[in-house]
Amino acid sequence: MKLLPFLLIPYYFQLKELKNPEVFEHIVKFNFIMDKKLFGYFFISLYEIDNKLIENITNTEFLRVIFGKKIHIQYKGKTDIAETTSSQFFVASKGNFEFILIIKNEIIKNFLDYYNVVSISELEKKLYAILTNPVSDIDKYILALPDNKLQLLLNHILAKKIASIDMLAAYIRNLGERGERILKNFSTRVKTELTEKIRAIGIYSTYRWAKEVNYIINRNILVSANELKINLPFFSRFDHIKKAYHIAVLKKEFENRNLFEWLNLLSSEEIKKLILETNRKMLANSLTFLKENEIIKIFSTHFSANGFKILLEDINYAHKHSEDEKYFEAYLFLKKVKEIYYEKFIKDLDFREHIEKYITTQEDVDLLIDEVGFAKVLYAFKNTDEKFQNKVLTGIIKNIFEDITKGKIRIKDYYDSRIQNYEKEVLKVAIILNYEKFNL
């Protein structure tokens, strides 16, 4: 399990699954309750009872926000080893402090049933998709930002043209009096234009339009915050859990094909392109997963003698970095390797035929949107089969797609004439996310 444990314990712990567990002196029990239904039990085992840890575990604000449900975690006190049968065991550690997390199979089964999935991997994919979407009261956390960070986010959205002035005006209007905080953080020129749009917005003020605008702006703010490395209060936990999930996925992938084997798939020209498009720190961290003779074989001919010596020094220094930092950099690096590798195949593939192989659920669409943005995905889907659209597009995304198709929503600088380009990019990402299904 990569993600589910982090819904139960603080996100900043390192986790490792235990096959032959030896529990510590104290075992304490917790009930997990969602919408007044007991989902089951989990336990932690420690040397000494840690009240701060228990307080953190029973604080369910994060869970209530992401699930939009009434969730309670009740501390039931000490129990004995007999209750922990039929469970999954993990050691959780941070510095010198560690404990054993014990998750009953019953709670796992109830999560599978609740989300109508048959495997842990499907469940965690669904949970990850939840983390990529803006939560219902995200504006509370956005408005908690200081002015300088809020200005950076808003200007970034305008500069990248991922939201129109009309949408921003509707978003501000939807916030009511709180929208003044957003409005005042624009330049005088933009503020004047937005004020005029807000006054004339009555024709758009339907409930559906308001929901669509809120989704588009909030999702773009989340994307922009990630791109600009701006920490949204409360949302750092989202980022840490997502990162932990990516690292676990990479470790599993390396069991089937390691980084050296992936790099061996690239031509000399593709290796050259990879070097040019990868920053020095990421390259060094990622190549810690190769032996020196493997690094020499693949990279030595692409550097001068002095340049290659510096690369080896960088890699040697990178070995001192934390395991998580190296793995996450390697995850991003491998994405770039796959993008370059699959590029040559995309031009010969029929988008409609292949997209239906790789994208089969709304969660798949959420993952695509998380990678390339909702506009490219929805424009790429314009020429797909209606049956496919109805299968994978639901809720607010389906509404936005319908309104884009009918011309009710226009995304600046996105045009039907570019659909073929969007299709290639979206299909490439779909293949990268499902590389094990891609047969050459």
Side-chain angles (χ1 to χ4, degrees):
M1 284 187 286
K2 302 175 282 285
L3 195 156
L4 185 59
F6 287 112
L7 300 183
L8 307 176
I9 64 170
Y11 64 86
Y12 43 76
F13 282 96
Q14 301 291 316
L15 270 185
K16 184 178 180 182
E17 191 165 359
L18 294 175
K19 298 298 183 185
N20 301 300
E22 291 185 15
V23 297
F24 299 146
E25 184 175 347
H26 302 286
I27 301 173
V28 296
K29 180 179 179 180
F30 298 85
N31 287 348
F32 188 98
I33 299 166
M34 183 185 290
D35 282 346
K36 299 182 180 180
K37 176 184 177 182
L38 179 64
F39 258 55
Y41 319 104
F42 67 95
F43 311 84
I44 61 171
S45 174
L46 325 88
Y47 288 117
E48 295 181 2
I49 301 299
D50 187 290
N51 291 327
K52 184 67 175 176
L53 177 62
I54 290 169
E55 182 184 328
N56 286 337
I57 289 173
T58 54
N59 181 348
T60 58
E61 181 190 4
F62 175 77
L63 294 172
R64 292 179 180 210
V65 168
I66 64 170
F67 291 116
K69 305 283 184 183
K70 292 180 180 178
I71 295 175
H72 300 278
I73 294 179
Q74 296 176 335
Y75 173 55
K76 305 299 287 184
K78 291 184 183 179
T79 186
D80 58 58
I81 189 69
E83 282 212 69
T84 68
T85 56
S86 302
S87 300
Q88 306 292 314
F89 292 76
F90 305 84
V91 62
S93 60
K94 185 179 187 297
N96 296 323
F97 180 69
E98 64 179 23
F99 61 90
I100 307 294
L101 171 66
I102 308 162
I103 305 177
K104 288 284 280 187
N105 290 341
E106 175 190 356
I107 195 173
I108 298 170
K109 181 182 181 302
N110 284 333
F111 263 104
L112 292 171
D113 291 344
Y114 187 84
Y115 286 105
N116 195 29
V117 292
V118 297
S119 69
I120 289 292
S121 61
E122 285 184 65
L123 171 64
E124 298 206 311
K125 186 177 179 181
K126 190 173 281 282
L127 293 175
Y128 183 85
I130 290 172
L131 291 174
T132 68
N133 278 283
V135 294
S136 58
D137 56 352
I138 186 177
D139 54 85
K140 178 173 73 175
Y141 303 102
I142 293 168
L143 292 171
L145 287 170
D147 284 346
N148 61 334
K149 290 186 177 180
L150 192 54
Q151 287 164 14
L152 274 175
L153 283 173
L154 297 172
N155 288 329
H156 186 70
I157 287 172
L158 283 177
K160 291 194 72 176
K161 300 175 182 176
I162 50 181
S164 66
I165 288 290
D166 285 339
M167 288 180 185
L168 282 168
Y171 181 74
I172 292 167
R173 185 179 185 275
N174 294 341
L175 289 172
E177 289 183 4
R178 294 181 303 149
E180 286 297 317
R181 174 82 201 291
I182 301 284
L183 188 62
K184 78 172 189 176
N185 276 286
F186 286 104
S187 67
T188 302
R189 181 187 62 79
V190 174
K191 193 188 303 181
T192 300
E193 190 175 356
L194 281 168
T195 302
E196 291 173 358
K197 293 284 185 182
I198 291 167
R199 289 196 190 105
I201 213 164
I203 57 171
Y204 296 117
S205 58
T206 65
Y207 179 68
R208 172 165 167 154
W209 170 250
K211 284 187 68 178
E212 290 173 346
V213 163
N214 282 357
Y215 173 88
I216 291 169
I217 300 296
N218 286 331
R219 184 136 201 175
N220 283 330
I221 285 175
L222 283 180
V223 170
S224 298
N226 185 54
E227 290 176 351
L228 296 170
K229 303 292 187 288
I230 292 176
N231 180 35
L232 288 172
F234 182 78
F235 281 82
S236 57
R237 186 167 179 177
F238 283 72
D239 295 332
H240 279 271
I241 293 176
K242 287 168 69 175
K243 187 177 287 189
Y245 178 81
H246 288 314
I247 289 170
V249 167
L250 180 70
K251 288 180 177 179
K252 185 68 176 176
E253 185 166 331
F254 276 178
E255 292 174 9
N256 301 317
R257 179 185 284 169
N258 63 34
L259 184 57
F260 177 66
E261 291 168 329
W262 270 107
L263 289 167
N264 258 331
L265 296 175
L266 301 185
S267 67
S268 178
E269 284 301 310
E270 287 170 333
I271 290 291
K272 189 183 297 183
K273 178 178 171 66
L274 178 66
I275 293 167
L276 289 172
E277 295 182 0
T278 306
N279 69 55
R280 181 172 167 176
K281 178 175 173 287
M282 182 184 291
L283 185 62
N285 273 324
S286 302
L287 297 189
T288 59
F289 294 94
L290 271 61
K291 299 172 185 174
E292 186 168 331
N293 65 306
E294 293 172 337
I295 297 169
I296 292 169
K297 178 182 176 182
I298 293 175
F299 291 96
S300 60
T301 58
H302 297 282
F303 290 85
S304 66
N306 188 54
F308 190 66
K309 179 186 175 185
I310 292 171
L311 174 64
L312 292 177
E313 289 172 354
D314 286 347
I315 296 167
N316 186 52
Y317 181 79
H319 277 287
K320 300 175 184 178
H321 296 158
S322 71
E323 182 179 278
D324 277 0
E325 182 178 359
K326 288 183 288 188
Y327 266 107
F328 188 65
E329 293 274 15
Y331 163 77
L332 298 174
F333 181 70
L334 183 56
K335 273 176 63 177
K336 175 58 66 178
V337 172
K338 290 177 181 177
E339 285 175 14
I340 292 171
Y341 175 65
Y342 288 122
E343 183 69 39
K344 55 185 171 287
F345 303 109
I346 301 301
K347 63 180 183 298
D348 298 321
L349 298 180
D350 179 77
F351 178 78
R352 290 183 60 173
E353 176 189 345
H354 284 81
I355 199 67
E356 294 185 23
K357 292 180 185 177
Y358 308 121
I359 304 301
T360 58
T361 66
Q362 174 64 55
E363 288 72 44
D364 292 332
V365 175
D366 283 327
L367 294 179
L368 275 184
I369 290 173
D370 198 44
E371 293 291 334
V372 298
F374 80 93
K376 284 181 183 175
V377 172
L378 298 188
Y379 271 81
F381 280 13
K382 271 193 169 188
N383 293 332
T384 56
D385 185 73
E386 188 176 348
K387 184 178 178 182
F388 166 74
Q389 296 166 6
N390 290 334
K391 178 182 176 183
V392 301
L393 300 177
T394 60
I396 190 70
I397 288 292
K398 185 176 183 180
N399 289 347
I400 293 171
F401 175 74
E402 289 173 351
D403 287 347
I404 285 176
T405 303
K406 293 173 183 175
K408 292 181 179 179
I409 291 180
R410 290 183 174 85
I411 310 296
K412 195 170 183 178
D413 286 353
Y414 282 85
Y415 306 103
D416 287 354
S417 59
R418 297 179 184 174
I419 283 179
Q420 195 171 17
N421 293 332
Y422 307 145
E423 288 178 346
K424 288 178 182 177
E425 186 172 352
V426 168
L427 181 57
K428 182 164 63 175
V429 171
I431 290 171
I432 289 170
L433 291 171
N434 299 274
Y435 79 96
E436 71 281 359
K437 298 179 186 176
F438 185 65
N439 298 313
L440 298 177

